[in-house]
Amino acid sequence: MDRRAELEERTRYEAPEVEGRVFAAWSTADLFTADPSAPGEPYCIALPPPNVTGSLHMGHALNGAVQDLLIRWRRMQGRNVLWQPGTDHAGIATQMVVERGLAKEGKTRHDLGREAFVERVWKWREETGSTIIEQYKRLGASMDYSRERFTMDDDYALAVQDVFVELYARGYVYRDNYLVNWSVPLATAISDLEVEHKDVDDVLYEVAYPVEGGGEIVIATVRPVTILADVAIAVHPDDPRYRELVGRQAVVPLVGRLVPIIADERVEIGFGTGALKITPGHDPVDFEVARDHGLATLSAIGPDGLLTDLLPEWAGLTAEAGHLRAVERLREEGALREETPYRHSVGFCQRSGARIEPLVSLQWFCRMDELAKPAIDVVKARTVRFHPERMEKIYLDWMEAIRPWCVSRQLWWGHRLPVWFAPDGSHVVQVARPDGDGWEQSTDVLDTWFSSALWPYATLGWPQQTPELAQWYPGNVLVTGRDIINLWVARMIMTGIAFADGIPFTDVYINSTIQAADGRRMSKSLGTGVDPLDLIDRYGADATRYGLLKMCSTQDVRFAEGMIDEGRGLANKLWNASRLVLLNADPEALPAPNGLEAVDRWILDRLAATIDSVTADYEAFQFSAATKTLYSFAWNELCDWYLEAIKARLYGDDALSKRAASETALLVIQRLLGLLHPMCPFVTEELWSFLPGTSGLLATSAFPTTDGIPRDATAATTVAAVIQAVTGARRLRQDADLGPRAPLIATLSNDAGALQAEAQLLAALGAIELVDTVAVGPAVPLPAGAATLFIQGDGLAGKLRDRLAKRLDEARSEQRKADGKLANAKFVERAPDDVVAEERERSERFGRDAAELEAQLVALDAG
């Protein structure tokens, strides 16, 4: 079947049939494979490695759509692109998944032992670990799948160990007993950034401690069970209530231990009673106070979540049972003074959901201050730019108050620390096992974020000086979410500067978080999740990408399926419009800017403006704006106006006019497909294959520029005036309750010279009759230098005035609402820039509407 016959048969765009075939064509052409020796300025994006446990969710789909748009656009611009894919071993998450599988068999990891358990995880990973990467293909993601990396590949693991050893050699890594966030279910320390804080309703207990020599001092606590591990009472040195008690000793209830009463400026005079129990084994502030005052550290709760033997008869109780015992005993001893409801923020483990236990543990830490300084400087100097710009504050606030990073985890799955212990307890830090007998490697593994901090350069072969590293490092753009700016983005910048001799990327685009339609977070467990693969099945990949990119903004957005459906509508409209032109064009016509008539010159002018606008939007990471511009041009200017205007020429017998319309329409479609390709790659690639005068794949063709497209300001103004006139006529019909085919008579004022040449176009588009005599009727104002159009028709004045007056009131009301917000200084100061800009645009738009409606009413009344 020839191509024309095929196009005649395919009256609808069928995404499922097209997408698999087109992706296979891209793969066969080896389109995505990057070559470091290829020509072109390098351009690199590293995919934020999804957890090996994951499957494609809405965040991945949005993130992937943005990255693929950038990659396809830059590839079409002639850049030598690499989109580096891969997955993260996700230490805690993966271990939890495999352990849950073991639990179904009635086993634990301890039943298998470490070596067998790790083998089990590797087997699981081989079976399911590439699921999400394969799912990216459904989205049309043009990453170099031949380069897929894993954060526990042998070469990658060696790079991770090298960095740890070097950090130790530089004096940044050290081992210490320190208070950490302990997850009891996971039996490991976790970082501050993996702790989720929630407001919890507790009880604030006021407890009296007898003071040696007479009197008492009352403290406030929400966890009486930790009284077992108190080592002091602290008061503020300027608190007059306790000045005489400083230096004396108090008796700790429940255990009868004597502890000193000390003065410390970190005590808040206004909180509780102003006296603070110092329990360094369970509170970070207390830990610092105790270290500064040379106090011991005791722990009432152990790593297993059970009480220690500080009170032997309670040893082995759960923390909750110990809490109840402590409250009961304090009442019995007469030490409990007050019980007050108290709402406060409590840390919970993001992975297990359990309440964090602050516990003192012997861990490995990385000192961050010296690493952070150059990474702060590059952001302040805008060598690394955040989009939107306000996101850099999240980065800088954390970096400028950075604390040591606990990098060790008590897990079995992950990068084991390159630390070797001798039988005498001494240790060395090096990659290879030391010579001699008895050396044992540390059982701890590194925090997952430690290994992923190397992602932009370890995936390119670092520390080996590979051609890939030379070509694509530093990279260009990172696309990620704001929740991991500190967990990941900051650490990549720090390690990139420290080890790879430069920043890993120049631009960090923080994409929106898509919420459920009701504003809640998307979650499978909450039943609020939307599966992007279901959307692709129902609407197609192009529609899904389009809808996600239209939702993409500088704010969190609620999911709107209507935007996906709009994308499907655009794909169908593009298909139908292209069929119309391809099946009716002059058979010899090729895409060319043939501006025979003003309407041809107008669409070419609008095409050039659209190319400029979309290119600028892509450059500025304004993807939602680009979708709106492309939709408006394709649907309104091309389909609703230009194609309607040239139908008679395409169907007619005037060879010259038909050829001009054909060539111009083909050029517009050709360039529009190029503009849309990074956003909607499948339908555009398919239509490209039917266009005359094209060869090869659209994905490798040049991105459209305005070269060779004539600009005609006069034609642009003239035809825009025609469109405005027709739009006004249609609106008058609607306002007067006339049917779409009701006859109207239109008269142009005497200064209508600019429009007279377009009279037939006006009549055709507006379904109105033009006459030469001046008629009385409502006026449709046209742009300066054009004409005024007067329209009359049977029944036109009937309900028109009331309808126009009502619409005028509505426009004024909406303008007042917008102006009221803009007059509120707090709103203008605190609201995001795009929200303020939207209100300004609303005010201006409704102001224009009101002015136009007023003019129509004046003309109607004058008539």
Side-chain angles (χ1 to χ4, degrees):
M1 182 185 300
D2 64 34
R3 298 294 279 164
R4 180 183 178 86
E6 181 183 347
L7 195 58
E8 285 178 340
E9 280 196 4
R10 295 170 62 182
T11 58
R12 290 173 52 84
Y13 175 64
E14 301 291 347
E17 187 276 328
V18 170
E19 289 171 3
R21 175 166 46 75
V22 168
F23 196 90
W26 291 331
S27 300
T28 300
D30 213 20
L31 172 65
F32 310 151
T33 304
D35 179 359
S37 63
E41 183 182 355
Y43 186 84
C44 180
I45 296 178
L47 177 76
N51 286 357
V52 71
T53 59
S55 57
L56 199 71
H57 59 56
M58 198 60 74
H60 294 133
L62 171 59
N63 187 273
V66 169
Q67 290 174 83
D68 196 45
L69 182 150
L70 292 170
I71 286 289
R72 287 180 181 274
W73 169 50
R74 294 301 193 185
R75 183 186 288 121
M76 293 174 76
Q77 287 186 323
R79 303 283 288 269
N80 182 9
V81 304
L82 166 63
W83 186 6
Q84 173 64 54
T87 53
D88 191 284
H89 67 281
I92 293 175
T94 303
Q95 183 159 317
M96 286 178 65
V97 168
V98 177
E99 286 196 80
R100 280 198 291 267
L102 284 174
K104 292 178 182 178
E105 302 172 15
K107 297 177 182 178
T108 71
R109 60 186 165 112
H110 300 286
D111 294 324
L112 272 65
R114 181 168 192 145
E115 186 175 340
F117 176 78
V118 170
E119 288 180 4
R120 175 95 170 222
V121 181
W122 273 110
K123 181 180 179 183
W124 176 89
R125 185 259 172 183
E126 289 165 5
E127 293 171 352
T128 65
S130 290
T131 297
I132 191 168
I133 297 297
E134 289 299 311
Q135 290 171 336
Y136 269 113
K137 295 178 181 179
R138 292 286 313 279
L139 193 68
S142 60
M143 59 185 78
D144 186 347
Y145 295 95
S146 69
R147 293 181 181 271
E148 182 181 341
R149 299 298 302 272
F150 180 49
T151 52
M152 286 186 65
D153 288 344
D154 290 343
D155 290 345
Y156 197 105
L158 187 59
V160 172
Q161 291 183 323
D162 281 350
V163 168
F164 183 89
V165 171
E166 180 60 24
L167 287 169
Y168 181 81
R170 295 183 191 182
Y172 296 143
V173 165
Y174 60 95
R175 195 178 189 219
D176 196 4
N177 279 295
Y178 207 85
L179 197 76
V180 297
N181 303 301
W182 188 263
S183 174
V184 172
L186 301 178
T188 184
I190 62 173
S191 74
D192 291 343
L193 297 173
E194 294 167 306
V195 177
E196 181 179 5
H197 290 273
K198 302 177 185 177
D199 286 340
V200 170
D201 290 315
D202 264 329
V203 176
L204 188 64
Y205 299 92
E206 292 190 4
V207 181
Y209 287 53
V211 176
E212 192 176 36
E216 65 180 25
I217 186 168
V218 178
I219 62 90
T221 180
V222 294
R223 300 195 76 192
V225 69
T226 63
I227 288 174
L228 302 176
D230 287 354
V231 298
I233 301 291
V235 297
H236 195 280
D238 296 333
D239 193 334
R241 295 172 293 177
Y242 303 117
R243 192 169 290 138
E244 299 301 320
L245 296 181
V246 174
R248 295 170 64 182
Q249 291 190 307
V251 180
V252 179
L254 304 178
V255 292
R257 182 186 307 117
L258 282 173
V259 298
I261 300 174
I262 62 175
D264 194 285
E265 292 184 348
R266 283 165 284 198
V267 177
E268 297 180 36
I269 294 178
F271 175 74
T273 66
L276 182 70
K277 63 190 286 294
I278 301 300
T279 318
H282 299 285
D283 182 271
V285 175
D286 293 5
F287 183 84
E288 299 292 345
V289 171
R291 280 211 165 179
D292 291 347
H293 288 267
L295 300 171
T297 296
L298 302 175
S299 295
I301 301 167
D304 55 4
L306 304 180
L307 267 57
T308 64
D309 61 358
L310 289 178
L311 193 61
E313 62 266 33
W314 290 4
L317 291 177
T318 64
E320 180 61 28
H323 170 82
L324 297 174
R325 289 276 186 95
V327 173
E328 182 183 12
R329 180 74 64 85
L330 289 170
R331 286 198 186 105
E332 292 173 355
E333 293 182 0
L336 202 54
R337 295 289 181 265
E338 294 284 347
E339 298 179 44
T340 308
Y342 181 60
R343 188 169 183 80
H344 65 134
S345 180
V346 173
F348 290 82
C349 174
Q350 286 182 337
R351 290 294 179 187
S352 69
R355 186 168 175 161
I356 288 297
E357 283 291 351
L359 295 179
V360 174
S361 179
L362 184 59
Q363 300 284 348
W364 289 88
F365 295 86
C366 183
R367 184 166 54 82
M368 305 297 289
D369 48 357
E370 291 181 38
L371 290 169
K373 186 182 183 308
I376 291 171
D377 293 342
V378 295
V379 172
K380 286 186 173 180
R382 301 289 166 80
T383 307
V384 176
R385 299 175 294 270
F386 278 82
H387 309 272
E389 187 176 309
R390 70 175 187 275
M391 290 296 173
E392 76 177 30
K393 186 176 188 301
I394 297 174
Y395 174 93
L396 291 174
D397 284 352
W398 183 72
M399 291 287 279
E400 290 174 344
I402 201 163
R403 296 164 57 87
W405 175 14
C406 177
V407 298
S408 51
R409 298 291 182 268
Q410 289 64 56
L411 302 172
W412 286 0
W413 171 245
H415 296 273
R416 286 181 72 173
L417 272 63
V419 179
W420 304 89
F421 290 95
D424 63 2
S426 62
H427 68 267
V428 296
V429 177
Q430 61 186 55
V431 174
R433 176 186 293 275
D435 294 334
D437 297 330
W439 290 97
E440 294 291 340
Q441 188 174 3
S442 170
T443 57
D444 287 352
V445 301
L446 285 164
D447 178 10
T448 297
W449 296 106
F450 187 97
S451 52
S452 58
L454 285 58
W455 186 250
Y457 50 96
T459 51
L460 300 176
W462 184 93
Q464 303 301 317
Q465 295 304 304
T466 63
E468 289 80 3
L469 191 67
Q471 177 76 339
W472 288 300
Y473 191 89
N476 297 86
V477 179
L478 174 72
V479 181
T480 189
R482 70 170 181 271
D483 56 328
I484 55 174
I485 289 175
N486 299 332
L487 278 167
W488 190 45
V489 180
R491 290 167 177 170
M492 284 191 287
I493 295 174
M494 284 188 280
T495 67
I497 294 171
F499 294 99
D501 299 323
I503 56 173
F505 30 72
T506 57
D507 294 88
V508 181
Y509 178 74
I510 304 297
N511 57 242
S512 310
T513 297
I514 299 183
Q515 301 168 333
D518 60 5
R520 291 184 292 168
R521 68 182 179 89
M522 281 201 172
S523 164
K524 287 184 180 179
S525 61
L526 294 175
T528 56
V530 177
D531 188 341
L533 297 177
D534 288 343
L535 295 175
I536 292 172
D537 286 341
R538 286 188 286 140
Y539 295 99
D542 290 324
T544 301
R545 291 166 62 118
Y546 170 90
L548 291 172
L549 290 166
K550 187 170 185 181
M551 286 179 239
C552 195
S553 73
T554 60
Q555 305 292 318
D556 289 349
V557 292
R558 296 188 179 191
F559 175 70
E561 193 162 335
M563 292 188 186
I564 311 291
D565 193 41
E566 181 177 291
R568 175 170 61 182
L570 177 61
N572 289 333
K573 190 79 167 178
L574 195 63
W575 182 264
N576 292 335
S578 299
R579 284 185 77 252
L580 169 69
V581 173
L582 290 167
L583 294 177
N584 294 284
D586 182 326
E588 303 300 319
L590 295 175
N594 193 333
L596 179 66
E597 298 189 13
V599 71
D600 301 320
R601 298 192 295 278
W602 166 78
I603 195 64
L604 291 171
D605 191 90
R606 294 305 308 141
L607 172 63
T610 301
I611 291 172
D612 286 341
S613 177
V614 170
T615 303
D617 285 338
Y618 287 173
E619 290 277 4
F621 301 93
Q622 297 294 324
F623 306 115
S624 181
T627 65
K628 294 170 186 175
T629 298
L630 285 167
Y631 185 91
S632 177
F633 178 77
W635 196 288
N636 299 326
E637 294 174 313
L638 174 61
C639 296
D640 286 354
W641 295 109
Y642 182 66
L643 294 187
E644 288 299 319
I646 65 169
K647 275 183 179 178
R649 296 162 65 193
L650 290 177
Y651 299 152
D653 297 327
D654 185 331
L656 184 63
S657 182
K658 181 184 179 78
R659 182 66 173 261
S662 299
E663 291 180 344
T664 302
L666 287 171
L667 176 72
V668 172
I669 289 172
Q670 180 195 63
R671 300 289 174 95
L672 176 59
L673 293 179
L675 288 174
L676 268 169
H677 180 76
M679 189 178 294
C680 303
F682 289 106
V683 65
T684 53
E685 188 71 78
E686 182 72 352
L687 284 169
W688 180 265
S689 68
F690 289 100
L691 277 180
T694 60
S695 61
L697 293 167
L698 172 57
T700 55
S701 70
F703 189 75
T705 68
T706 58
D707 292 349
I709 301 177
R711 305 293 295 264
D712 188 330
T714 301
T717 301
T718 300
V719 178
V722 171
I723 291 171
Q724 187 172 346
V726 171
T727 302
R730 290 172 178 172
R731 185 165 58 244
L732 288 173
R733 260 204 188 93
Q734 182 180 7
D735 288 339
D737 264 351
L738 300 178
R741 298 187 180 281
L744 290 181
I745 299 175
T747 305
L748 298 174
S749 61
N750 292 334
D751 60 344
L755 285 179
Q756 290 292 353
E758 304 307 321
Q760 291 182 339
L761 174 64
L762 178 63
L765 291 175
I768 56 181
E769 178 185 354
L770 286 170
V771 298
D772 293 329
T773 58
V774 175
V776 177
V780 180
L782 301 179
T788 300
L789 179 72
F790 295 93
I791 301 176
Q792 65 182 37
D794 292 339
L796 192 60
K799 298 178 181 179
L800 180 56
R801 196 186 193 292
D802 289 342
R803 286 176 176 269
L804 290 176
K806 181 180 179 182
R807 286 177 53 205
L808 176 60
D809 288 342
E810 291 171 349
R812 284 173 172 165
S813 175
E814 291 299 323
Q815 185 183 18
R816 282 195 298 270
K817 288 179 185 177
D819 288 343
K821 288 185 178 181
L822 294 170
N824 184 335
K826 289 185 177 179
F827 169 78
V828 175
E829 179 183 346
R830 297 176 182 175
D833 292 345
D834 58 335
V835 174
V836 175
E838 183 178 348
E839 289 303 321
R840 287 200 177 100
E841 189 276 331
R842 280 171 51 81
S843 172
E844 293 169 2
R845 172 160 43 90
F846 285 113
R848 288 193 301 269
D849 290 349
E852 182 180 335
L853 289 162
E854 283 180 316
Q856 291 184 32
L857 278 168
V858 168
L860 185 64
D861 290 341

